Amino acid sequence: MKVDLSVIDFLDRAETVFPDRVVFVDEPDQIAESWGEVTGAEFARRARNQAAHLDALGIGVGERVAIISQNSARLACGFFGVSGWGRVYVPVNFRLSPAEVAYIVDHCGATLLLYDPELADTVADLDVAHKVMLGTDSDVEWFFTDGEPAPWEPDEDATATINYTSGTTARPKGVEQTHRSLWLNASTFGWHAGVNERDVYLHTLPMFHCNGWGMVYASLGMGVKQVVLRKVDGAEILRRIDRHGVTFACAAPAVVAAALEAAPEFDPVPGRDRMRVIVAGAPPPTQTIERVEAELGWEFIQIYGLTETAPLMTMNRCRSEWDDLAPSERASNLAAAGSPTIGMRVSVDAYGEVLARGNHVLEGYWAQPEATAAAIVDGWFHTGDGGTVEGGVVTISDRKKDVIISGGENVSSIEVEDAVFSHPEVAEVAVIGVPSDKWGETVMALVVRTDGSTLTGEALIAHTRQRLAGYKCPKTIEFREELVRTATGKLQKFKLRAPYWEGLDRQVN
């Protein structure tokens, strides 16, 4: 017997096995009224109501429903209320500028845009058939009625979500993930991370990012209480770990750094000896890994992956063989990306690029067949990252593509260069990532000014803020007399980066 895999499986299990258990604790501090605590049965009912309302609006199977919101229970509900009945959910990065959001909504052909009231200005000028502000007023229609959606026969090969990612080009690409790929990513991730029904999960990770790395699905299916955090703050993270008995979280290195910074305020540190933190976005320094164990008392787990792999490719978790090692040695072992997870094959080609093959590699880039063909060659996905595989352990050493990962978010250097170059007093620009203890990397622009220009770094950064999301804007500007190029006129960014990474083993931080 074969039964198609579907994200609705996770919702069905929560409703059947944990109907009276609280499965979501919504963010209390938001403009829209918080949902507070929501049980498995109630969460499933609200997802059905959402699907039924999509039916009433005439939004059919396969149509795209975009949403832009900070972390919230309403955002989480759409992973099931939209995708679970055959539509395609498109979670949009809430940090993007109005122009960037407009491009994504238009490119995916969304019929409906749902948005958080805090982002009303961002979407004010968007032209879309249906635009709905989430909150108390819309809850009655969308979530609180007793609607019954039209049945949908699950198709595991149908696209469930499109997640837009900034790669090496100025325009983001829409990563199509099927029900099968999301189901297998969530289940594999949950298995490797040891997710169980006694866990409590804290959403420090933005849910728009690879659908919360799949933990929205994995946690719901196991009846895990999911605590929603809307805004990252180190002290607040520790307070909620204490208040709700949190046992694990997924986080970018910058979030871990925020928790470490706030830890001296707490005695004992919340979650000590019970918390595990799963980190990705950029490999953190070995010293940070050692501090997580020593100062927080948390288990440190590292994963590696991309939006295109849903994201799980590898996991590095402390093995029993390492228990007797010195803390510094154990941290050094945990600094690698880790070993391929069940069902994932990882290889390195002759050029040193890391390749992946597995059940949760993207179906393709939405409406971009050429980009898909360039990324998936002979059945292998090209990550754009350089690295090695030795003894079954993957180590990422450099980026083949010019992507900067700052605070766990991808930044396209080409996109930033375009914004910088739009200033009339900029003659040349090269954007690179430079190491940062807090953010992993920060964006630096190397700029040649036009003759006679007195342009300042502050003025140029302010100029880019009119065109880009804040996290993409350069944090520092370095003015140069010239940017050295090859004989064919090309910039060699690895040479531009080299002085800033001198003394470090890897060109990622």
Side-chain angles (χ1 to χ4, degrees):
M1 178 185 294
K2 177 187 176 184
V3 178
D4 277 34
L5 307 176
S6 167
V7 299
I8 205 70
D9 295 340
F10 302 99
L11 183 73
D12 286 346
R13 188 170 193 273
E15 182 177 27
T16 302
V17 183
F18 307 103
D20 301 320
R21 176 183 288 193
V22 172
V23 295
F24 270 93
V25 180
D26 199 13
E27 168 63 53
D29 185 17
Q30 53 182 311
I31 296 175
E33 185 178 348
S34 173
W35 277 5
E37 295 187 343
V38 186
T39 64
E42 179 59 24
F43 191 74
R45 187 176 77 88
R46 295 183 189 187
R48 280 195 299 274
N49 290 336
Q50 185 177 30
H53 198 64
L54 291 171
D55 289 341
L57 282 179
I59 297 174
V61 169
E63 292 193 53
R64 275 73 63 205
V65 175
I67 182 168
I68 181 166
S69 172
Q70 294 89 343
N71 281 356
S72 71
R74 293 177 180 88
L75 169 57
C77 194
F79 287 110
F80 307 94
V82 175
S83 297
W85 278 270
R87 285 93 177 183
V88 181
Y89 203 38
V90 187
V92 180
N93 185 342
F94 61 84
R95 301 187 183 102
L96 297 178
S97 69
E100 292 167 319
V101 174
Y103 171 80
I104 290 172
V105 172
D106 178 68
H107 184 263
C108 75
T111 311
L112 165 69
L113 173 67
L114 304 170
Y115 66 94
D116 187 275
E118 192 172 318
L119 299 164
D121 290 343
T122 300
V123 304
D125 297 327
L126 260 63
D127 183 18
V128 60
H130 303 280
K131 190 161 59 173
V132 176
M133 184 170 72
L134 296 168
T136 308
D137 292 341
S138 60
D139 278 351
V140 174
E141 283 185 310
W142 281 92
F143 300 107
F144 293 171
T145 55
D146 284 318
E148 191 60 42
W152 177 65
E153 188 65 33
D155 174 5
E156 66 180 28
D157 296 321
T159 299
T161 63
I162 300 175
N163 304 93
Y164 277 81
T165 179
S166 294
T168 57
T169 59
R171 289 299 192 185
K173 297 187 289 290
V175 174
E176 288 185 72
Q177 291 288 3
T178 65
H179 284 263
R180 175 182 171 82
S181 61
L182 295 179
W183 198 102
L184 289 168
N185 174 75
S187 299
T188 304
F189 203 164
W191 183 9
H192 279 274
V195 176
N196 67 83
E197 63 180 34
R198 295 180 183 271
D199 271 323
V200 178
Y201 180 66
L202 179 63
H203 280 280
T204 69
L205 184 77
M207 293 181 192
F208 73 76
H209 195 195
C210 301
N211 310 318
W213 294 357
M215 276 302 170
V216 175
Y217 308 115
S219 296
L220 185 65
M222 294 303 293
V224 172
K225 180 190 288 186
Q226 301 184 52
V227 179
V228 178
L229 182 72
R230 188 175 175 89
K231 182 180 179 181
V232 171
D233 174 87
E236 183 58 27
I237 287 171
L238 295 177
R239 281 192 288 268
R240 295 201 191 185
I241 289 172
D242 182 51
R243 186 181 311 139
H244 299 284
V246 173
T247 58
F248 79 113
C250 295
V255 175
V256 175
L260 283 167
E261 188 175 342
E265 301 176 31
F266 297 83
D267 185 22
V269 176
R272 178 171 288 276
D273 300 325
R274 77 162 183 266
M275 266 289 292
R276 56 200 193 278
V277 61
I278 304 168
V279 179
T286 302
Q287 183 182 18
T288 299
I289 298 173
E290 190 173 350
R291 289 183 64 200
V292 167
E293 291 191 344
E295 297 175 27
L296 299 178
W298 300 352
E299 179 187 3
F300 179 93
I301 302 170
Q302 182 164 192
I303 68 165
Y304 164 66
L306 300 88
T307 302
E308 288 89 341
T309 60
L312 189 64
M313 280 177 57
T314 70
M315 178 176 282
N316 196 352
R317 190 172 186 181
C318 191
R319 304 176 185 181
S320 59
E321 293 88 342
W322 303 348
D323 287 350
D324 295 330
L325 294 178
S328 59
E329 292 179 281
R330 192 163 53 246
S332 180
N333 286 346
L334 288 168
S339 302
T341 53
I342 295 290
M344 184 64 70
R345 271 73 176 174
V346 179
S347 181
V348 175
D349 68 11
Y351 302 98
E353 183 173 4
V354 178
L355 312 179
R357 178 180 176 87
N359 287 299
H360 39 92
V361 172
L362 79 163
E363 178 70 14
Y365 293 113
W366 180 261
Q368 292 180 287
E370 292 181 358
T372 302
I376 303 176
V377 181
D378 297 329
W380 287 86
F381 170 66
H382 287 242
T383 65
D385 291 330
T388 60
V389 181
E390 297 179 6
V393 176
V394 180
T395 300
I396 304 301
S397 57
D398 199 357
R399 288 194 183 87
K400 304 287 285 187
K401 301 174 183 177
D402 292 320
V403 179
I404 300 161
I405 301 182
S406 183
E409 294 294 336
N410 283 7
V411 179
S412 163
S413 64
I414 294 175
E415 183 180 18
V416 181
E417 286 166 355
D418 186 63
V420 173
F421 196 70
S422 67
H423 194 288
E425 294 180 45
V426 172
E428 293 183 80
V429 59
V431 168
I432 60 173
V434 295
S436 164
D437 290 339
K438 182 175 183 179
W439 302 108
E441 293 178 273
T442 56
V443 181
M444 172 183 277
L446 308 177
V447 175
V448 178
R449 289 175 285 202
T450 56
D451 290 341
S453 170
T454 57
L455 178 66
T456 65
E458 292 79 6
L460 187 51
I461 292 172
H463 173 80
T464 64
R465 287 188 178 278
Q466 298 175 21
R467 290 161 174 77
L468 299 171
Y471 73 90
K472 296 181 179 181
C473 296
K475 296 296 182 289
T476 52
I477 304 287
E478 186 173 297
F479 291 106
R480 300 277 184 92
E481 291 299 318
E482 64 174 353
L483 296 177
V484 179
R485 297 176 181 269
T486 66
T488 57
K490 294 181 179 179
L491 289 169
Q492 292 179 303
K493 289 191 177 178
F494 70 93
K495 290 186 176 179
L496 296 174
R497 286 194 296 262
Y500 304 96
W501 295 87
E502 191 172 352
L504 298 176
D505 294 331
R506 298 171 297 183
Q507 293 295 297
V508 290
N509 189 26

